[in-house]
Amino acid sequence: AVFVFDLYGKELRFIGNDERFGLSRPIGIALDEQENVYVTDTGSLSVKVYDRTGKFLRSIGKNRLVRATGLAIDKKRRRLYVVDTGQNDDKAHRVKVFDLEGNFLSEIGHRGDGDGEFNFPTFAAVDSQGRLYVADTANFRVQVFGSDGKFIRKFGRAGDTVGDFGRPKAVALDSFGNVYVLDSHYSNVQIFNQQGDLLLTFAGTGTYPGLLLNPTAIAIDKQNQIYVSNYLGMRVDIYRLINTTADDSFVKEAKAPGKQGDKN
């Protein structure tokens, strides 16, 4: 089921826990402009859609999805991006694009390690300009595509130093357009600007509040409050971005050493 927490009303309800139109193995979730709830259900090989009260509306992608994980919705263009992680097959390792009524539109990528290709991608996000960001997990990077599906850029590499990835699992954006990459291997979140420059990293492995154990997904609200699903910690950890302005997204270049005779 999907757990719906009303943090202000202090209420809890569920979506998708009824027998007739229930969920069997839900993984990803996204909301459209009307707050309809889209959920990838690997048990039924589809995306199930419910209204905000939990009423089942429709299924999307039946017979087209192998193992769908992440979802992202372009509300302006009314477009649904479904990341099909798949297994060792040729029909997955790509992003499948539908309209919000469930009509199939196109596919982005295929299996490989070149630009625009994927190897076990997982979760995705869409920014205010309609650009699509995909966590290309087994290629240890994030790839960015335009609203037309064309490759724009990539950043990240395999490694064990700050700025490298072990298993980039999910991606989200704050109100400044910075890109947050959740790494389930290192149990941390790294923040990059639009140029792919590392700005900050937080969390790490542990059970203490604020630390993570194999986190799987991340979301950021309009107030830049950050929600991370702490999988093996069996909880959601919530962080808040503070004392930050748009200027903080730019990495200042170091000044070159002064020439002989310059006043320092």
Side-chain angles (χ1 to χ4, degrees):
V2 174
F3 286 60
V4 184
F5 295 91
D6 182 346
L7 300 182
Y8 295 98
K10 300 185 183 302
E11 294 179 351
L12 170 65
R13 59 187 177 89
F14 304 94
I15 290 177
N17 62 331
D18 60 279
E19 292 184 5
R20 187 177 180 186
F21 301 111
L23 297 164
S24 55
R25 295 180 63 191
I27 294 182
I29 185 170
L31 275 68
D32 66 15
E33 199 72 47
Q34 288 73 44
E35 295 188 359
N36 294 318
V37 183
Y38 298 68
V39 186
T40 51
D41 186 19
T42 58
S44 64
L45 304 179
S46 67
V47 176
K48 291 185 176 179
V49 188
Y50 304 84
D51 69 13
R52 60 183 298 172
T53 69
K55 178 184 177 181
F56 176 79
L57 299 177
R58 58 188 172 274
S59 289
I60 294 175
K62 192 72 173 178
N63 301 321
R64 284 194 176 272
L65 300 173
V66 179
R67 184 176 179 270
T69 50
L71 289 174
I73 291 180
D74 185 338
K75 297 178 181 179
K76 181 178 180 180
R77 297 166 182 82
R78 294 185 56 79
R79 194 173 296 163
L80 172 68
Y81 295 100
V82 184
V83 182
D84 198 341
T85 304
Q87 303 292 340
N88 292 316
D89 49 70
D90 295 329
K91 295 181 180 179
H93 304 277
R94 61 196 68 196
V95 178
K96 297 176 180 178
V97 189
F98 302 82
D99 63 25
L100 297 188
E101 285 68 44
N103 299 305
F104 177 75
L105 300 177
S106 62
E107 293 183 347
I108 299 174
H110 53 82
R111 193 169 193 182
D113 56 8
D115 293 347
E117 299 175 341
F118 301 109
N119 192 19
F120 291 98
T122 44
F123 289 84
V126 174
D127 70 11
S128 60
Q129 304 302 313
R131 291 182 291 255
L132 175 69
Y133 300 73
V134 183
D136 189 6
T137 303
N139 281 330
F140 309 100
R141 64 188 181 184
V142 171
Q143 295 200 73
V144 187
F145 300 84
S147 60
D148 57 0
K150 293 182 179 179
F151 172 82
I152 296 177
R153 62 181 174 273
K154 62 188 176 183
F155 61 89
R157 64 180 183 182
D160 59 2
T161 61
V162 175
D164 295 340
F165 296 136
R167 194 179 299 122
K169 186 67 69 71
V171 60
L173 292 100
D174 65 18
S175 65
F176 303 108
N178 297 318
V179 185
Y180 292 60
V181 184
L182 178 71
D183 196 309
S184 62
H185 180 72
Y186 295 123
S187 293
N188 67 7
V189 179
Q190 299 190 85
I191 308 175
F192 300 83
N193 63 14
Q194 284 289 321
Q195 290 70 44
D197 300 316
L198 179 67
L199 302 176
L200 182 71
T201 182
F202 66 90
T205 304
T207 58
Y208 190 81
L211 298 179
L212 304 167
L213 287 175
N214 193 21
T216 55
I218 183 171
I220 303 175
D221 67 19
K222 295 178 180 178
Q223 287 73 45
N224 289 325
Q225 194 153 271
I226 306 154
Y227 303 80
V228 179
S229 64
N230 190 351
Y231 177 53
L232 292 183
M234 294 179 286
R235 67 188 186 216
V236 175
D237 284 61
I238 306 174
Y239 308 81
R240 179 172 295 162
L241 184 65
I242 60 173
N243 299 329
T244 302
T245 67
D247 290 339
D248 296 320
S249 299
F250 297 94
V251 175
K252 297 178 176 60
E253 295 183 2
K255 293 183 179 180
K259 297 180 181 179
Q260 187 174 0
D262 288 348
K263 292 183 178 179
N264 295 321

